Amino acid sequence: MAEYELIINYQKCTGCRICEQVCAIRNSLVANPEKARIRIVSLKEQANIVSIPVRCLQCEEPICETVCPTHAIATDPATGARVVNGKKCIGCRTCVYTCPFGAATFDRSAGTVFMCNLCEGDPLCARWCPFGVLEYIRSDESSIRLKKDAAIKLSDSISLSLEQVGYKEV
Amino acid sequence: MAHMYGGAILFIRLDEGRIFKEPTSSYSGAFLGGRGINIKLLYDGSTPETDPLDPSSLLIFGVGPLCGTPISASRTEVSARSPETGFLGSSNFGGHFGPEIKSAGYDHIVVSGKADGPVYILIHNEQVEIRDASRIWGKDSYETQSLIRAEIDSEVQIACIGQAGENLVHFATIQHDLGHGAGRTGMGAVMGSKNLKAIVVRGTKAITLAHPEKYLSIAEERHKQLSDNPCVQDVQKHGMAYMLEGFGEIRVGPDGLVEANQYDLTKKYRPKKTGCAGCLQQCMDLYPVEAKGGGGAISCTFYTQPFTLVGNNDLDLALECGLLAQRYGIDIVSSMGIISWLMRLYECGIITAEDTDGIPMEWGARQAIIGMLQKIVFREDFGDTLAAGILPAAKKIGRGSKDYAYQVKGLPLYSPTTPDALIPTKGRSLCIAVSPRGDAMRTMMEGREARRAQDPPLLVARQNEKFAAEYMKTLQQTIKDVTGTEKAYLAEEYEGKPELVVYSEDEIIIFDCLSSCKLVGAPFLNIPSQVEYLARLFSAGTGTETTHDMLFTIAKRVRNLERVFNVKEGMTRDRDALPRGFMDHPLEKGDSAGSVLKSAEFEKMKDQYYALRGWDIATGIPTRETLEQTGLGDIAGDLEQSGKLPGNLHPGK
């Protein structure tokens, strides 16, 4: 288990894509969402937009690592992130097709695959995310942290329903 | 290819179906980015005094070098001759369209000619197609985008017109996504006149940066500063409606009719946040589909105009009206401005319900607001008269109705620039009068003058006393530096205002050239030296060392070319004016009762403004010397040929 974890508060995402922009500049040195390790997919229907961050979820049993025929993918012991060895990667894209989360990306210009390396322990997406959608926090705090967010959200509707049944604070 | 640019200008001739490209580098030396290169392209490709809706007219989209990077820079500038004013039309919108254009490899898209039938343009990197749009013609902007996404791919970014643009309503907009739009000066009508329903873009290419790490570190410095800013935090947390709530002037409707508080709308529906690419503020509210109007995204103007301009207290009515305006693709400011004007005429007995197809134009009445809006969009009966714009409509109605029209150069004024809010602010009055398009909305004058010495102008967390005090200190110092006058930050002062307007215009031109947002930046947030920061970013990104002064030099060039463009369309000194009724009439009530805008003082400000700009005082036309000094020597020749170059007078030197 890595000491830190990159958590996602899906409901808070506004679709600003600042994470894509900073990720591409830091990790590929260009401005191009295609080169970002994280993507925001905005599902749009008429008057509604739902934006969902798609990124490596740092599986405990990574399929990408298992299926890689050249063992080009390894886990960085410091961060727990999957790291692709560009010299070993043959660009077969097996990891791209098998990742259940669409998180591995084939880089057409390099002919190899890239995936989130957690910026070597200081993920820029979390540092920049304006709405706390992405947070890099201690792994042992992540569970209660997500529950807290859910509780705050619930508290609104609970107090509302208490009001509706005539409850008054004394 | 130059760093930070898409690299090419895309030309599309819809009549011939011809598509070709030119390198952006042939323009990017002398002119800069969105607004800068747009005016150069427009100037070079336009024939003065032809109908803006003539097929030969150009419609230009442009993005700047900083667009698509994490600094709240995503704006696409749209330029064309305005069917609403007859002068330069320009308006910009945010969202995700601009960065996508650049990723496709373009900095500008220049559309000319008129297609035989409804079409849309599909751009996927190098591949550019003109496609049949008959299936989506007649659909509103939300539905149009849904249909196109279903047909092509959900990842495309779309700029399109609604029914108003199709029907050539002179103040139709170009809409993008939910809530984003090039709202002012009728750019949607120009698009409609070309039978162009939409531009659909998908780009996957990389924009290179000269010094990516350095760029990111400069950007992050500002990102942190903004993240700690109470104004930004308020918008992030509560939305724009909350920010506007604290601003008394916005809530005062005609004769104080408006008591409704737009923030209640946010409280009622608890909208999700949305906004532009790479921006930390996300200033728009995404209302759920169950809300009145069927849901969608709105921000500042939609929280003001359908309330204050039309005396409306009904929250749901305002929301519905705003969302409908977006779907139809019609300017919420001009449409509400015109309806407001009819309400004033009705109140004064100049028109009756008989003039307006049986609709009594009563303040706040649903039928008068939404009913008349729909009549305009579909050019139904009296709506057809109004669709031509406020001045042509006034001409048709006659009976002195023009004197009741709150407009400059034919562009209806936005709230809060009704007389009660405008007359006490002298700088803003001047700014609106001399502005190329007839408003000061994007010059951000609202944030540059304080009505009262201790009260920050706008968008400031006033409950935060410490921040408000710091804000006032920065404002006073900045404006003193710019104008050389101690009291120029005070709204009622005439002194220093011409200097302030020149500075503000130039500063905002730089923002518009670079695709940067003015709301996150400029004068609202107590963050000084905005242009220095942009210059540092620009230098790191392009690798060309560029200073604050160099950016201002380009801004002055752009401003002069925009002026010459307007001069060739018939701009004269007397068109740089506010409605007659605004002058020399003391306000009778409200917070600023007794305030008056004196025409003698106003004309004096104009003299000084022209002198500072190096324009002939009698005519307001740039002199040869000024044009040569700003690198527009060839333009002086143009003006001379058209007989409009002023004699070799050079006032103010």
Side-chain angles (χ1 to χ4, degrees), chain B residues 539-554:
Chain B
S539 305
T542 59
T544 308
E545 208 43 53
T546 305
T547 62
H548 161 278
D549 289 357
M550 286 155 86
L551 291 178
F552 271 95
T553 302
I554 295 174

Side-chain angles (χ1 to χ4, degrees), chain B residues 10 51 161 221 245 301 420 457 511 528 533 570 575 603 642 647:
Chain B
L10 179 64
D51 182 355
I161 54 170
E221 209 181 282
E245 187 191 28
T301 43
D420 52 332
F511 275 76
Y533 157 70
R575 296 301 303 272
E603 293 303 318
S642 58

Side-chain angles (χ1 to χ4, degrees), chain A residues 16-33 35-38 40 117 119 122-130 134, chain B residues 68-72 209 212-213 215-221 223 277-279:
Chain A
C16 76
R17 301 169 73 187
I18 216 164
C19 51
E20 290 181 1
Q21 295 183 345
V22 295
C23 179
I25 297 178
R26 180 194 185 279
N27 294 301
S28 290
L29 304 176
V30 290
N32 183 5
K35 300 274 185 185
R37 276 67 176 158
I38 182 170
I40 302 301
N117 63 358
C119 296
D122 181 16
L124 253 59
C125 53
R127 220 162 84 189
W128 281 68
C129 180
L134 301 156
Chain B
T69 65
I71 57 143
S72 306
L209 294 87
E213 286 108 349
Y215 190 92
L216 210 50
S217 82
I218 299 169
E220 191 169 8
E221 209 181 282
H223 183 76
C279 179

